[in-house]
């Protein structure tokens, strides 16, 4: 076994049943099996999943990998950070080293998923947060259900949106990723589809039938990954049960414009100032004023250090490829393990019952200097790097984002600018291009309503 795999040997205390693996013809299923802990990810689970993924990668019989969670409430509610915080509080530097090792294991798994050469599908059926995001968002196919509850709550516990959040979040449309990263705002059900977190939406009641149907698929030996994913994409649409009634995109219209306006800035102080202006503006709609006020209240609860580091992470991560993302996050995580906000935040929010208000050090934005922030991104000479399990398959953009999921804003813009045509014609063109995929019409309508207008000839024009 190479050094890269030395960490994945079973260790004393590992639970043999915390992850269940099953085979159904060409499908290999991975089920996180800690339902009482909301399937929170720990080292034992990672040490079981990685060897199986490498085994499936080599097997000619394994065509599709599907990951899901046991129980009715969660896909995976995050990494088991409570245990990490307890270890640091009790054992100091030894606990910090143990926690750093855990994050190294986790990020190796996340990077393996991000660069996996076979179809990998995540069922986001239930709570999907923190470590659960790392197991899912880098998958080319991510299926949301009515139970999906997606969030990155790290700034509220004195940490940062890791598990590849540096890559995934800045590549969401506009400044949605920055908004989600700083505020920990959740996306429920079909909203995960509209925001680009999920690529598909189906009812949870048909997931088992979908798994059985996918097991029937037989690919040709010469079918590449792109072809196989397109076949899977069309197969998932066979289980389309329609969109929820009376639930249009929430992060849309004036609210989306306000998000992009306020969260475009490069300092947290500027974002706070922009939100205050929205809240106090006599011309702002009441909905936006209320949103701005609630958002300010949310930000005031977060770790000032986490907020500033996370915003810098969002701006830098937009330029990182997948390998650099996980290497950088590995070093940032290690520095948070040495910062008091992590133990304080996890203890207050997750360990104490009932949860209490965390004591941040420092407790104001002004107390966190630019040097403090930049130190999180410095890699000191002699520091170890993350020995990733996959080489040569990294990328700067998700390779299948154009073909899977709903159209992005730039795709709508391309269609509008390519030809002078009416609104309904554009919508129908994009729905047909996606073969009638659910959610396309609603997404295109929202983008056109926010980013386009109608000229005197009744044709759609893109707003600059």
């Amino acid at each position: 076994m190479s050094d890269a795999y030395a960490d994945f040997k079973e260790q004393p205390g590992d639970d043999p049943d915390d992850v269940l693996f099953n085979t159904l013809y060409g499908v290999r299923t991975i089920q996180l099996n800690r339902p009482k802990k909301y399937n929170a990810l720990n080292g034992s689970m990672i040490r079981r999943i990685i060897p199986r993924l490498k085994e499936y990668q080599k097997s000619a019989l394994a065509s599709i990998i599907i990951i899901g969670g046991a129980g009715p409430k969660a896909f995976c509610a995050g990494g088991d950070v409570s245990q990490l915080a307890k270890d640091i509080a009790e054992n100091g530097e030894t606990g910090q080293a143990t926690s750093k090792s855990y994050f190294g294991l986790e990020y190796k798994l996340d990077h393996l998923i991000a660069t996996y050469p076979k179809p990998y599908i995540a069922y986001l059926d239930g709570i999907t947060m923190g470590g659960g995001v790392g197991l899912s968002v880098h998958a080319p196919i991510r299926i949301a259900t009515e139970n999906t509850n997606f969030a990155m709550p790290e700034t509220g516990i004195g940490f940062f949106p890791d598990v590849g959040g540096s890559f995934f979040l800045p590549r969401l449309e506009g400044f949605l990723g920055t908004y989600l990263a700083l505020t920990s705002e959740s996306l429920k059900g079909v909203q995960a589809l509209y925001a680009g977190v999920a690529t598909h939406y189906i009812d949870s009641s048909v997931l088992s039938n979908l798994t059985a149907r996918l097991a029937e698929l037989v690919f040709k030996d010469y079918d590449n990954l792109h072809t196989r994913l397109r076949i899977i994409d069309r197969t998932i649409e066979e289980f389309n049960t329609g969109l929820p009634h009376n639930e249009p995109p929430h992060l849309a219209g004036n609210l989306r414009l306000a998000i992009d306006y306020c969260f475009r800035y490069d300092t947290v102080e500027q974002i706070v100032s922009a939100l205050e202006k929205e809240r106090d503006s006599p011309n702002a709609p009441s909905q936006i004023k209320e949103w701005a006020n609630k958002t300010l209240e949310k930000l005031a609860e977060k770790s000032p250090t986490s907020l500033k580091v996370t915003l810098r992470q969002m701006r830098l991560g937009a330029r990182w490829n997948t390998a650099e993302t996980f290497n950088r996050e590995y070093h940032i995580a290690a520095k948070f393990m040495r910062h008091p906000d992590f133990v304080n935040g996890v203890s207050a929010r997750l360990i104490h019952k009932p949860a209490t208000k965390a004591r941040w050090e420092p407790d104001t934005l002004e107390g966190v200097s630019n040097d403090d922030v930049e130190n999180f991104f410095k890699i000191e000479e002699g520091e170890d790097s993350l020995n990733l399990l996959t080489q040569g398959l990294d990328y700067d953009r998700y390779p299948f984002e154009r073909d899977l999921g709903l159209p992005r804003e730039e795709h709508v813009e391309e269609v509008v600018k390519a030809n002078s045509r009416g609104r309904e014609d554009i919508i129908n063109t994009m729905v047909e291009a996606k073969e009638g995929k659910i959610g396309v019409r609603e997404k295109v309508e929202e983008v056109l309503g926010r980013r386009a207008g109608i000229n005197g000839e009744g044709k759609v024009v893109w707003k600059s």
Side-chain angles (χ1 to χ4, degrees), residues 352-369:
H352 292 162
K353 303 297 180 184
T356 60
K357 184 177 180 180
R359 292 168 301 159
W360 306 123
E361 300 178 31
D363 60 358
T364 64
L365 292 173
E366 294 75 16
V368 184
S369 70

Side-chain angles (χ1 to χ4, degrees), residues 136-340:
S136 59
V137 295
H138 309 297
I141 294 180
R142 310 174 297 276
I143 300 177
T145 74
E146 75 281 4
N147 301 319
T148 299
N149 185 1
F150 171 95
M152 293 295 280
E154 287 78 9
T155 56
I157 58 169
F159 199 45
F160 74 110
D162 62 332
V163 298
S166 308
F167 191 90
F168 180 76
L169 291 167
R171 287 163 178 79
L172 293 178
E173 294 175 345
F175 290 94
L176 282 180
T178 301
Y179 172 64
L180 297 174
L182 294 178
T183 66
S184 307
E185 179 72 11
S186 64
L187 298 170
K188 296 182 179 179
V190 74
Q191 300 306 320
L193 173 70
Y194 291 137
V197 169
T199 57
H200 299 77
Y201 177 87
I202 64 174
D203 194 272
S204 62
S205 63
V206 301
L207 285 176
S208 60
N209 291 336
L210 172 61
T211 300
R213 176 71 178 92
L214 292 172
E216 297 173 354
L217 297 180
V218 178
F219 302 121
K220 297 181 176 63
D221 291 341
Y222 55 80
D223 285 342
N224 60 22
L225 180 56
H226 179 271
T227 300
R228 295 178 185 214
L229 290 171
R230 290 292 293 124
I231 293 170
I232 293 170
D233 179 43
R234 290 193 292 268
T235 303
I236 294 171
E237 287 303 310
E238 295 175 12
F239 292 83
N240 167 15
T241 55
L243 296 171
H245 293 296
N246 301 319
E247 197 173 338
H250 288 171
L251 303 181
N254 287 334
L255 175 55
R256 173 59 193 284
L257 291 172
I259 289 172
D260 286 350
Y261 175 77
C262 293
F263 285 83
R264 63 188 169 132
Y265 294 104
D266 293 331
T267 70
V268 179
E269 289 88 345
Q270 287 175 303
I271 290 173
V272 168
S273 178
L275 287 165
E276 289 172 341
K277 289 178 181 177
E278 290 290 333
R279 178 196 63 191
D280 300 334
S281 171
N283 300 320
S286 59
Q287 173 206 16
I288 301 305
K289 292 165 73 74
E290 181 181 354
W291 165 80
N293 188 58
K294 288 183 177 179
T295 302
L296 286 165
E297 291 175 352
K298 287 181 181 179
L299 293 178
E301 296 173 351
K302 311 299 184 187
S303 157
T305 298
S306 292
L307 288 176
K308 287 200 168 184
V309 171
T310 295
L311 182 57
R312 185 66 176 146
Q313 171 201 4
M314 292 298 101
R315 301 300 180 254
L316 293 175
R319 303 193 295 269
W320 295 341
N321 69 12
T322 42
E324 186 173 9
T325 290
F326 290 105
N327 267 297
R328 291 281 188 166
E329 290 187 355
Y330 176 59
H331 293 285
I332 297 169
K335 291 183 177 180
F336 267 108
M337 294 305 98
R338 301 193 291 269
H339 195 283

Side-chain angles (χ1 to χ4, degrees), residues 430-445:
M430 300 202 74
V431 170
E432 290 171 8
K434 285 287 189 177
E435 300 178 348
K437 183 182 184 72
I438 65 165
V440 173
R441 170 173 287 275
E442 290 76 9
K443 175 64 182 290
V444 176
E445 286 178 342

